Amino acid sequence: VYIWVEPTPVVVATPLVDTICDGGTTSIALESDSRPTKPVRFRYTFTEPFGITVTPGGPVDGLFRGDTIVDQIVNTTDTAKLVTYVITPYTTRAQDDQEKCTGINDTVYVWVEPTAVVDATPAIDTICDGDNVSIALESDSRPTKPVRFRYTFTEPFGVTVTPGGATEGLVRGDTITDQIVNATDSAKLITYVITPYTTRAQDDQEKCTGINDTVYVWVEPTVSITAADDTICNIGTTDIALSSQQVPTRAVYYTYTSSPENAGAITGNGSELLGRPITTNITEPLTNGTNNAQRVVYSIVPYVLRADGSLGCPGDTVKVDIWVE
């Protein structure tokens, strides 16, 4: 009588620890040094933590040496989740493929990253020519390693963007501070596309790409105004018309102050510090109390009206001479 005694089958699963992306596929190779009378077989089970769905890529029982577990795993949460695989080798009966002798389990741990998202603030902004953006980067994603960000931007004709630091490898809490110069006479729209990603376990190289967020930045032109000098009669009224060739996102406003060249020689001149539209002329009745022509200097500063009604993006001061006979 001949009695064959099977070895206790063992399984070698590679890798024992792995990290995959949300929606990615495992790649667990199955091998064994055991040589029973019939080829060693494998079966496996897996855990499905909350928010995890595992879709087997083939049978979960009856696998052979050289087979690979290729399950797809979806992570619908904002955090990395650990999926545990328990792989059991076994030998089969001589007359069929039914399990006879159970071997020694091996366990594989698979971390499944969340799909990284980015929260960029503000989503829309308006800055002055030559100013810096201030785009704060945050994320609710909690992968196995800190989420990272990279970004690109557009440069329309006449616009130059100078990055304030690195354009990739940024982390939560970082701020994009690029300087933007607008050399044109009209407002320009700069588009920032910010991409979150997770990195490999062994280094900081990108592994899983997340969902982009887009930020829109309007860059105003530097506004300038023109106004002509004038001569009026005594007790006459100024009529200083203002014009600008720039086209910002909102209306051009201005403020002004005025000062007689000789203190006390002219009365009636004033100022406007709260701002008024460029379409409104400066009209002031001026009285010359002397026997000589007198000059009043008007200093006018253009601005762009902000969304909240305040004045922003001041341009260069223009001086206008008004002579009063």
Side-chain angles (χ1 to χ4, degrees):
V1 174
Y2 300 94
I3 305 295
W4 284 96
V5 184
E6 303 284 23
T8 297
V10 295
V11 57
V12 178
T14 307
L16 290 177
V17 180
D18 197 11
T19 303
I20 65 173
C21 304
D22 172 29
T25 303
T26 62
S27 182
I28 305 171
L30 303 177
E31 284 294 340
S32 177
D33 293 330
S34 306
R35 295 297 185 268
T37 56
K38 294 179 69 176
V40 66
R41 295 290 188 93
F42 309 98
R43 54 180 163 81
Y44 70 91
T45 60
F46 50 79
T47 60
E48 283 184 301
F50 173 79
I52 289 291
T53 301
V54 180
T55 302
V60 297
D61 197 354
L63 289 83
F64 292 96
R65 292 174 57 246
D67 282 348
T68 302
I69 299 174
V70 288
D71 297 353
Q72 183 187 53
I73 307 180
V74 174
N75 181 359
T76 60
T77 74
D78 287 327
T79 59
K81 295 290 186 176
L82 180 62
V83 177
T84 303
Y85 279 80
V86 176
I87 304 165
T88 304
Y90 60 90
T91 60
T92 58
R93 298 188 305 189
Q95 64 272 32
D96 55 32
D97 287 331
Q98 295 302 307
E99 182 173 337
K100 181 176 179 66
C101 305
T102 304
I104 300 172
N105 294 335
D106 198 4
T107 302
V108 172
Y109 302 94
V110 179
W111 283 98
V112 186
E113 302 286 22
T115 294
V117 296
V118 55
D119 181 15
T121 307
I124 301 176
D125 199 9
T126 302
I127 66 172
C128 303
D129 170 32
D131 280 358
N132 295 76
V133 299
S134 181
I135 304 171
L137 303 178
E138 282 296 338
S139 178
D140 291 330
S141 304
R142 296 296 185 270
T144 55
K145 295 178 66 177
V147 65
R148 296 292 184 98
F149 310 98
R150 53 180 166 81
Y151 70 91
T152 60
F153 50 79
T154 60
E155 280 184 301
F157 173 78
V159 168
T160 302
V161 179
T162 303
T167 59
E168 64 175 304
L170 289 84
V171 297
R172 293 174 56 246
D174 281 349
T175 302
I176 299 174
T177 57
D178 298 353
Q179 183 188 52
I180 306 181
V181 174
N182 181 1
T184 74
D185 287 329
S186 61
K188 295 290 185 178
L189 179 62
I190 314 301
T191 303
Y192 279 82
V193 177
I194 304 164
T195 304
Y197 60 92
T198 61
T199 56
R200 300 188 304 188
Q202 65 271 31
D203 53 33
D204 288 330
Q205 296 300 307
E206 183 171 337
K207 181 177 178 67
C208 307
T209 304
I211 301 173
N212 294 334
D213 195 8
T214 302
V215 172
Y216 302 94
V217 179
W218 283 98
V219 185
E220 303 286 19
T222 295
V223 292
S224 61
I225 56 174
T226 57
D229 297 336
D230 198 7
T231 300
I232 64 174
C233 300
N234 183 28
I235 316 179
T237 301
T238 64
D239 188 19
I240 304 174
L242 308 171
S243 63
S244 175
Q245 65 179 2
Q246 283 76 42
V247 184
T249 57
R250 293 182 177 83
V252 177
Y253 270 52
Y254 70 91
T255 63
Y256 74 90
T257 58
S258 61
S259 177
E261 186 176 24
N262 296 312
I266 296 292
T267 58
N269 64 290
S271 63
E272 171 58 67
L273 300 180
L274 297 179
R276 62 173 63 166
I278 196 175
T279 53
T280 303
N281 293 0
I282 300 175
T283 55
E284 293 181 339
L286 302 182
T287 299
N288 182 354
T290 73
N291 292 322
N292 299 312
Q294 298 291 334
R295 182 174 67 170
V296 181
V297 179
Y298 283 80
S299 299
I300 309 167
V301 182
Y303 293 88
V304 176
L305 190 67
R306 293 193 182 107
D308 62 3
S310 62
L311 302 179
C313 304
D316 293 333
T317 300
V318 172
K319 293 186 181 295
V320 175
D321 291 340
I322 301 296
W323 286 93
V324 185
E325 300 288 16

